[in-house]
Amino acid sequence: MAHDAFERTAPDITCREVVDRTSAYLDEHVGDPIKVRLTMHLSSCIGCGTYVKQIASIRNLLGLLPGAVEEPARRDRLCRIFSARQQRLSSAT
Amino acid sequence: MNSAITTYHESPGQSFLAGESTVVSAGTPPSEAGRTLLARLRAGDEGAFGELVDKHHGALIRMALSHVADREVAEEVVQDTWIAVIEGLSRFEGRSSLRTWIFGILIHKAKDRGVREKRHRTFSAFDSHEDDHDEALDPSRFHQSGEWAGHWAFPPQPWDDQTPEKLLASQQAVAAMQRAIDALPVTLKEVLILRDVDGLESQEVCELLKITETNLYVRLHRARERVRRAVEVYLEGMVPEAV
């Protein structure tokens, strides 16, 4: 688990520091001491609570964006190449 | 299309790139579903290969576009990747996940093509690099001094519970997010695509890009913040009832 200088020395946590650690916090990649302080800060700071929710929404939306669509002709061609390769391998063994 | 025979193999714990045309992947073991898919592929199941293409093609194109400037070239890089997957499948030993292996091949090919392209290009926005000293969020949004230094001066305005699905249903909002992704420097774009768009585990992303977990989260947060900011700007331009 990643720990940094801030985690060891800072006596308190500012909104700016919460912002910088938001993604690691959301993905549960912060150590327990910093997680406790982030959670305590978030329980009383509306601005940071809003920010963390928005980053979580963005993270979730990114996985739902429409992707590039493979053209059927190219997909079919790749599948044919795959089958031909497998047949060559089968006949060689 | 360059479909020359290229050797790809795995070797846990070794360098990711062992030579000009050798891809080595290591680490994250395959899941049960991954092992089943691999067995079907090895049995020559064309449907399984089609599923693999459908599942990863979009993310591979986006990943290729992190390194090359145009869509047509990205398509060629991805096609070359699939050919290499087909050619290398019999030698793939399953010590890493199939997905990690495929992305490893793509990244190698895309970087190689990107380097060759840059030799023929002058400076452009595409070449922009992330400055490690950049802040994730505009520092002017925080108090700069006094008792509240480092705390919000201009906090984000809350979104309602329906905002995410309304954003996804809006072509303009989706376009704004995609423009923000396209505009990211390559170091931010590749982590965002691998982790958030295609859902690779953070460990897989670190292995593929050879970066530490701390570095991953610094980059990932900057990338997510730029997309969040693009949405914030989009929403500021909307009438309040619209989203």
Side-chain angles (χ1 to χ4, degrees):
Chain A
M1 195 69 70
H3 296 275
D4 55 25
F6 163 77
E7 207 168 325
R8 289 191 301 273
T9 60
D12 200 0
I13 192 163
T14 65
C15 298
R16 199 165 171 172
E17 289 162 335
V18 173
V19 161
D20 285 343
R21 286 157 181 81
T22 296
S23 286
Y25 175 74
L26 284 171
D27 287 12
E28 301 198 347
H29 278 274
V30 291
D32 287 341
I34 187 72
K35 187 176 177 181
V36 168
R37 288 156 71 190
L38 286 165
T39 304
M40 283 179 67
H41 183 104
L42 288 169
S43 69
S44 61
C45 178
I46 294 169
C48 285
T50 298
Y51 184 80
V52 170
K53 273 189 198 168
Q54 290 183 358
I55 291 292
S57 296
I58 292 299
R59 177 193 62 179
N60 298 339
L61 281 172
L62 286 165
L64 300 172
L65 289 177
V69 178
E70 172 69 345
E71 295 167 39
R74 285 191 171 184
R75 184 186 187 280
D76 291 350
R77 182 172 170 273
L78 282 170
C79 287
R80 282 198 302 276
I81 294 169
F82 171 78
S83 289
R85 169 74 177 169
Q86 295 303 313
Q87 279 164 16
R88 278 206 311 277
L89 282 173
S90 300
S91 58
T93 54
Chain B
M1 183 191 301
N2 173 18
S3 59
I5 301 295
T6 307
T7 303
Y8 296 90
H9 63 83
E10 312 151 272
S11 183
Q14 292 182 18
S15 160
F16 189 78
L17 297 179
E20 179 63 27
S21 58
T22 303
V23 172
V24 180
S25 73
T28 314
S31 63
E32 184 59 41
R35 281 194 290 272
T36 304
L37 180 62
L38 185 58
R40 288 174 61 203
L41 289 166
R42 284 187 172 142
D45 183 341
E46 192 177 309
F49 184 74
E51 283 173 30
L52 196 65
V53 172
D54 291 340
K55 188 175 178 187
H56 296 301
H57 188 79
L60 291 173
I61 290 285
R62 272 192 281 259
M63 195 64 199
L65 281 168
S66 299
H67 297 275
V68 300
D70 112 0
R71 168 80 191 209
E72 198 174 324
V73 177
E75 289 277 4
E76 281 178 25
V77 168
V78 175
Q79 292 289 310
D80 285 354
T81 298
W82 286 122
I83 299 293
V85 167
I86 292 168
E87 297 290 344
L89 204 52
S90 61
R91 294 183 297 277
F92 176 68
E93 294 176 13
R95 283 182 286 184
S96 67
S97 76
L98 194 56
R99 180 171 66 177
T100 306
W101 180 61
I102 295 169
F103 273 92
I105 295 171
L106 182 278
I107 290 169
H108 176 59
K109 286 187 174 294
K111 280 186 176 172
D112 184 55
R113 187 66 180 259
V115 167
R116 279 191 280 139
E117 276 196 334
K118 278 179 191 170
R119 289 193 195 119
H120 302 288
R121 279 190 288 121
T122 52
F123 175 80
S124 72
F126 182 74
D127 295 316
S128 64
H129 293 282
E130 176 67 359
D131 182 343
D132 284 342
H133 302 291
D134 277 357
E135 300 281 346
L137 190 63
D138 181 356
S140 69
R141 295 191 69 155
F142 302 101
H143 292 287
Q144 301 299 307
S145 58
E147 186 186 357
W148 292 100
H151 293 276
W152 291 108
F154 303 100
Q157 296 303 302
W159 299 345
D160 68 42
D161 290 345
Q162 281 75 48
T163 297
E165 61 189 84
K166 287 179 182 172
L167 288 169
L168 209 52
S170 158
Q171 284 185 354
Q172 289 102 324
V174 168
M177 285 188 272
Q178 283 177 331
R179 277 197 302 276
I181 296 169
D182 290 345
L184 291 171
V186 62
T187 52
L188 304 192
K189 196 188 294 185
E190 58 189 6
V191 295
L192 190 79
I193 290 168
L194 291 171
R195 181 78 181 103
D196 286 349
V197 179
D198 205 43
L200 272 69
E201 295 298 325
S202 55
Q203 189 190 346
E204 280 183 280
V205 181
C206 291
E207 285 163 11
L208 281 168
L209 302 178
K210 298 174 77 176
I211 57 175
T212 63
E213 189 181 88
T214 300
N215 200 345
L216 166 68
Y217 277 101
V218 168
R219 293 184 190 185
L220 185 60
H221 188 64
R222 286 177 187 168
R224 287 174 177 171
E225 165 52 29
R226 291 194 193 185
V227 180
R228 189 206 67 84
R229 178 61 188 148
V231 169
E232 190 172 55
V233 169
Y234 167 78
L235 293 173
E236 283 167 2
M238 302 286 293
V239 290
E241 292 78 19
V243 173

